[in-house]
């Protein structure tokens, strides 16, 4: 590990920000077309972020300010460890556990900051966000642990590389179809897409954790959201859809997967938080357990196409 | 608001104003009438997201405070609270005749007549009610004003705070606070 790794890390952050923000803008247009509107400009998300960074902002004490920086720092650190098409800024550190624990730093920073604002809507939003996390994480983690057990590796990059070279049949989502479905449903929950967006519901709890953010704080939260989206989609893409052999393949697959979640989100109503938890513990959890039992006791899916 | 000032913005402020003009987030204060004109403006018929406009959930996140229809003296206090919570640069748009001169409620004991006595209004959209075309037209004008640096109401409010404060207190009258914790 030398100075070049840090330069690569910085370049990864810049590239991810530009790519994901552009994609978010395009996805706003996709949502608009679903609703038979013309929609915003493709670079609207950049304008929104820079506008927010330009405004003054109100502080609610140092916990509020520090939480934002802690969340952004934690999330940016996580982005650097995500393997993209075989490239890693810091080789050998792309473990599933490293990523999930670093991601928690960002999540908790956000929760601390939002709760530090003292607004009751923010507390309700944080409580719902953490409940939602508990709901989608258990089915997803069962599937991921099954995968780690079956392939004897916890490295995201290695697990992605194992699926390549066999076309679609090599993807874990095809080898373990139930696990793939669980992963995509969990992705909807992670991204806060409908029907699992009760924690940011603007009409009911005034956008939940975001309620007291304005100006520069809000700008940081938007940047954080772009990075977080990248981490979550990349994790599912690498583990279940084979990552990408080249950077172009990776970006194309990424765009398709992310746009797919947007389209699902565009036609869905919203679950209440208790309905979301019940749903996750009923359908995806059952599917995840069945998938785990099949893989562990029959080996089906691990060596069937070898 | 104040049109006789010269354009003495720095290059950074001009760039900032370009971003502000192309990303207008609104807080709708729709306790009077006129809220019904907003859904068609937002949805597929008129589609205000084309211009970068959109509704936001709280005053903290918003750039524009859009006040539709009449304001009773009771809601005026909440409007002022909401305006004070917003981060500058912030803009106020008065919507409908009632914000201009009281409209059909001009002689009511319970409503205020002129909104710009209490808050610095950058733009009025006249009409009873203004249709979505008028709203889009008005916002196109507001975007143009922000781009040229003419929407300086928030600065005017800072500079003439005493005058606004006096008007606000006159309108609200005596404030009786029942403090049951210290009795």
């Amino acid at each position: 590990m030398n100075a070049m790794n840090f330069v690569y890390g910085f370049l990864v952050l810049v590239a991810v920000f530009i790519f994901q923000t552009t994609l978010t803008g395009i996805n706003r247009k996709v949502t608009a077309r679903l609703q038979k509107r013309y929609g915003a400009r493709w670079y609207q998300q950049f304008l929104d972020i820079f506008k927010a960074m330009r405004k003054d902002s109100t502080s609610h004490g140092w916990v509020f300010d520090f939480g934002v920086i802690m969340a952004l720092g934690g999330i940016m650190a996580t982005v650097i460890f995500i393997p993209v098409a075989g490239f890693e800024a810091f080789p050998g550190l792309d473990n599933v556990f490293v990523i999930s624990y670093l991601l928690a730093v960002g999540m908790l920073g956000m929760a601390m900051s939002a709760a530090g604002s003292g607004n009751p809507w923010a507390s309700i939003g944080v409580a719902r966000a953490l409940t939602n996390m508990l709901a989608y994480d258990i089915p997803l983690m069962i599937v991921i642990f099954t995968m780690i057990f079956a392939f004897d590796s916890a490295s995201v990059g290695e697990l992605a590389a194992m699926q390549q070279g066999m076309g679609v049949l090599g993807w874990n989502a095809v080898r373990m179809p139930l696990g793939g479905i669980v992963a995509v449903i969990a992705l909807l929950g992670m991204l806060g897409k409908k029907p699992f967006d009760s924690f940011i519901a603007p009409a009911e709890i005034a956008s939940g954790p975001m309620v007291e953010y304005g100006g520069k704080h809000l700008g940081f939260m938007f940047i954080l959201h772009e990075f977080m989206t990248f981490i979550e989609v990349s994790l599912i893409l690498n583990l279940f859809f084979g990552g990408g052999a080249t950077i172009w393949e990776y970006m194309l697959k990424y765009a398709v997967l992310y746009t797919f979640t947007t389209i699902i989100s565009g036609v869905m109503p919203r679950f209440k938080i208790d309905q979301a938890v019940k749903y996750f513990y009923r359908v995806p959890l059952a599917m995840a357990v069945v998938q785990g039992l099949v893989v562990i006791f029959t080996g089906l899916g691990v060596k069937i196409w070898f | 608001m104040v049109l006789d000032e010269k354009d003495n913005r720095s290059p950074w402020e001009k760039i900032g104003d370009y971003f502000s003009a192309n990303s207008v987030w609104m807080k709708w204060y729709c306790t009077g009438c006129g809220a019904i004109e907003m859904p068609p403006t937002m949805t597929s018929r008129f589609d205000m997201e084309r211009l970068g406009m959109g509704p936001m959930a709280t005053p903290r996140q918003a750039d524009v405070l859009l006040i539709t229809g009449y304001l009773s003296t009771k809601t005026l206090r909440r409007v002022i609270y909401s305006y004070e919570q917003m981060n500058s640069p912030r803009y106020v748009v008065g919507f409908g005749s009632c914000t201009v001169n009281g409209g059909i409620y001009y002689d009511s004991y319970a409503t205020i007549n002129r909104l710009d006595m209490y808050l610095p209004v950058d733009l009025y959209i006249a009409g009873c009610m203004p249709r979505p075309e008028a709203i889009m037209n008005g916002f196109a004008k507001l975007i143009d004003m922000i781009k040229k640096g003419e929407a300086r109401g928030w600065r005017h409010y800072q500079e003439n705070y005493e005058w606004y404060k006096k008007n606000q207190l006159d309108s609200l009258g005596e404030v009786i606070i029942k403090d049951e914790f210290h009795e």
Side-chain angles (χ1 to χ4, degrees), chain A residues 2-202:
Chain A
N2 53 32
M4 277 319 283
N5 292 114
F6 290 92
V7 175
Y8 286 147
F10 180 72
L11 291 179
V12 165
L13 286 176
V14 174
V16 164
F17 174 69
I18 294 172
F19 173 62
Q20 178 57 44
T21 311
T22 310
L23 198 59
T24 308
I26 293 169
N27 271 273
R28 279 175 74 169
K29 214 153 176 92
V30 169
T31 311
R33 290 295 160 90
L34 283 176
Q35 297 168 349
K36 298 201 172 176
R37 288 187 292 122
Y38 187 75
R41 290 156 286 202
W42 66 268
Y43 53 92
Q44 184 66 45
Q45 194 73 9
F46 285 101
L47 295 176
D48 286 351
I49 289 174
F50 293 141
K51 192 280 309 269
M53 297 303 279
R54 180 255 170 147
K55 290 185 76 174
D56 294 348
S57 60
T58 317
S59 175
H60 296 278
W62 73 271
V63 172
F64 184 75
D65 298 342
F66 175 70
V68 174
I69 302 297
M70 176 178 153
L72 191 61
I75 296 293
M76 282 163 92
T78 319
V79 168
I80 295 173
F81 293 117
I82 297 278
V84 177
F87 172 79
E88 294 160 32
F90 293 94
L93 290 175
D94 57 340
N95 200 297
V96 173
F97 301 102
V98 172
I99 291 172
S100 50
Y101 273 89
L102 267 176
L103 194 60
V105 173
M107 298 266 194
L108 292 177
M110 215 169 124
M112 191 176 88
S113 166
S117 73
N119 193 311
W121 296 128
S123 304
I124 293 176
V126 167
R128 285 187 181 187
L130 295 179
T131 313
N132 189 48
M133 200 164 114
L134 204 65
Y136 69 68
D137 248 7
I138 289 178
L140 182 67
M141 278 301 155
I142 287 175
V143 176
I144 289 180
F145 286 166
T146 305
M147 199 183 292
I148 291 169
F149 173 81
F151 294 104
D152 252 346
S153 169
S155 157
V156 177
E158 272 180 38
L159 284 169
M162 278 178 200
Q163 303 170 43
Q164 286 161 13
M166 282 170 283
V168 175
L169 292 181
W171 293 359
N172 278 336
V174 179
R175 292 187 191 190
M176 309 176 182
L178 288 176
I181 295 168
V182 171
V184 173
I185 296 173
L187 182 63
L188 287 171
M190 281 192 209
L191 293 173
K193 297 275 188 191
K194 286 177 200 131
F196 307 114
D197 68 337
S198 58
F199 58 94
I200 46 161

Side-chain angles (χ1 to χ4, degrees), chain A residues 28 35-41 44 47-48 51 54-58 60 207 210-215 218, chain B residues 13 16-20 22-23 25 42-44 47 49-52 57-58 60-63 87-89:
Chain A
R28 279 175 74 169
Q35 297 168 349
K36 298 201 172 176
R37 288 187 292 122
Y38 187 75
R41 290 156 286 202
Q44 184 66 45
L47 295 176
D48 286 351
K51 192 280 309 269
R54 180 255 170 147
K55 290 185 76 174
D56 294 348
S57 60
T58 317
H60 296 278
S207 72
M210 314 288 283
V211 61
E212 282 291 333
Y213 292 95
L218 190 63
Chain B
E13 281 176 321
D17 280 346
Y18 168 77
F19 289 129
S20 285
N22 284 297
S23 164
W25 291 343
M42 190 171 63
T43 49
S44 53
D47 185 21
E49 203 189 5
R50 279 180 299 142
L51 303 180
T58 66
R60 294 258 187 240
Q61 302 164 352
D63 308 309
N87 297 310
S88 46

Side-chain angles (χ1 to χ4, degrees), chain A residues 216-231:
Chain A
K216 292 183 178 62
H217 290 86
L218 190 63
F220 278 126
M221 289 318 245
F222 268 87
I223 295 173
L224 188 149
H225 186 252
E226 305 299 341
F227 282 135
M228 202 124 103
T229 307
F230 179 80
I231 293 166

